[in-house]
Amino acid sequence: SQTIHQWPATLVQPVGSPLSLECTVEGTSNPNLYWYRQAAGRGLQLLFYSVGIGQISSEVPQNLSASRPQDRQFILSSKKLLLSDSGFYLCAWSVTPASTDTQYFGPGTRLTVL
Amino acid sequence: AQSVTQLDSHVSVSEGTPVLLRCNYSSSYSPSLFWYVQHPNKGLQLLLKYTSAATLVKGINGFEAEFKKSETSFHLTKPSAHMSDAAEYFCVVSDLRGSQGNLIFGKGTKLSVKP
């Protein structure tokens, strides 16, 4: 069966420090991968999605970037964190990029920027 | 453009009583609709999914939702609430821009279950 991992589970970082969050998927090949951010009191906002290695689409201009160095690995990064980057970051995968396809979510990373 | 509105930010029920979480959507196309549940500090788990088949969709943990095109609604129900149902619930509509699987999430409804 497929599983999705995210780490770290929680992270506290000072403003201006770099960030690297990792997401890996097991049990499937060539998944579509997504990064979402969930801020307090708001729904989920799609940040990035990827349909293949090295293929990244950005939904919202921001202080963050994403990379997909391997088929089942998706990394969210920042060179300098802002206070507004605090939130709950969720990685998800789907079999196809179709809008009807179910997305399966990882356990999330709680990021606090101080 | 597609959008989704969850009509209640917080719903409180007693254990053993029915649950109703309301969701209205807006879409120019026949949408795909989902309900996800999120327990505190956890990822999202799919409860159920509608993709233009039967309008009454049964999900996990005794939940079901009915797609009503005339009312543009996709309300989530459960006949009898359990303490373990306390969580946040998200109604989601598929974003049909291009061919990418972008989802549009509602702001969530927090369900509290009293003993």
Side-chain angles (χ1 to χ4, degrees):
Chain A
S1 64
Q2 300 86 6
T3 55
I4 179 169
H5 304 279
Q6 286 186 247
W7 65 89
T10 60
L11 192 59
V12 180
Q13 292 284 96
V15 169
S17 64
L19 173 74
S20 181
L21 303 181
E22 189 163 344
C23 170
T24 58
V25 180
E26 296 178 357
T28 186
S29 296
N30 196 30
N32 296 282
L33 297 171
Y34 309 84
W35 276 113
Y36 290 87
R37 177 170 56 205
Q38 184 178 27
R42 302 175 65 178
L44 274 72
Q45 179 185 39
L46 179 65
L47 302 175
F48 301 95
Y49 64 89
S50 170
V51 299
I53 295 174
Q55 301 179 62
I56 310 294
S57 297
S58 174
E59 285 293 297
V60 181
Q62 59 212 317
N63 184 44
L64 302 168
S65 61
S67 62
R68 185 169 176 175
Q70 300 180 44
D71 181 42
R72 291 170 289 177
Q73 184 185 31
F74 205 22
I75 298 172
L76 184 69
S77 304
S78 174
K79 293 182 179 178
K80 287 187 178 182
L81 283 168
L82 307 172
L83 286 174
S84 57
D85 291 325
S86 292
F88 194 49
Y89 288 82
L90 289 157
C91 181
W93 72 274
S94 64
V95 174
T96 76
S99 58
T100 55
D101 200 9
T102 300
Q103 291 184 19
Y104 300 94
F105 287 80
T109 295
R110 173 75 60 192
L111 172 65
T112 304
V113 182
L114 301 174
Chain B
Q2 289 76 29
S3 67
V4 60
T5 303
Q6 291 184 245
L7 298 165
D8 306 292
S9 59
H10 193 193
V11 169
S12 182
V13 301
S14 296
E15 190 174 21
T17 64
V19 176
L20 170 63
L21 305 183
R22 298 182 294 165
C23 173
N24 286 102
Y25 69 92
S26 172
S27 177
S28 303
Y29 306 89
S30 294
S32 290
L33 293 158
F34 309 77
W35 275 99
Y36 282 87
V37 61
Q38 184 180 31
H39 288 89
N41 292 310
K42 300 292 185 185
L44 276 72
Q45 181 184 20
L46 179 70
L47 277 179
L48 50 81
K49 171 182 173 182
Y50 167 77
T51 54
S52 73
T55 57
L56 182 63
V57 183
K58 293 189 183 297
I60 62 171
N61 301 336
F63 285 94
E64 61 182 38
E66 187 171 7
F67 174 73
K68 292 186 176 181
K69 186 174 182 178
S70 61
E71 299 176 11
T72 61
S73 68
F74 190 57
H75 301 333
L76 182 70
T77 59
K78 183 173 180 176
S80 176
H82 191 273
M83 295 297 291
S84 61
D85 294 328
E88 190 157 21
Y89 293 79
F90 292 92
C91 183
V92 184
V93 64
S94 55
D95 181 353
L96 297 175
R97 289 178 295 148
S99 62
Q100 300 305 324
N102 299 339
L103 302 179
I104 298 171
F105 284 76
K107 292 190 176 181
T109 297
K110 191 164 289 187
L111 175 65
S112 300
V113 182
K114 297 175 288 186

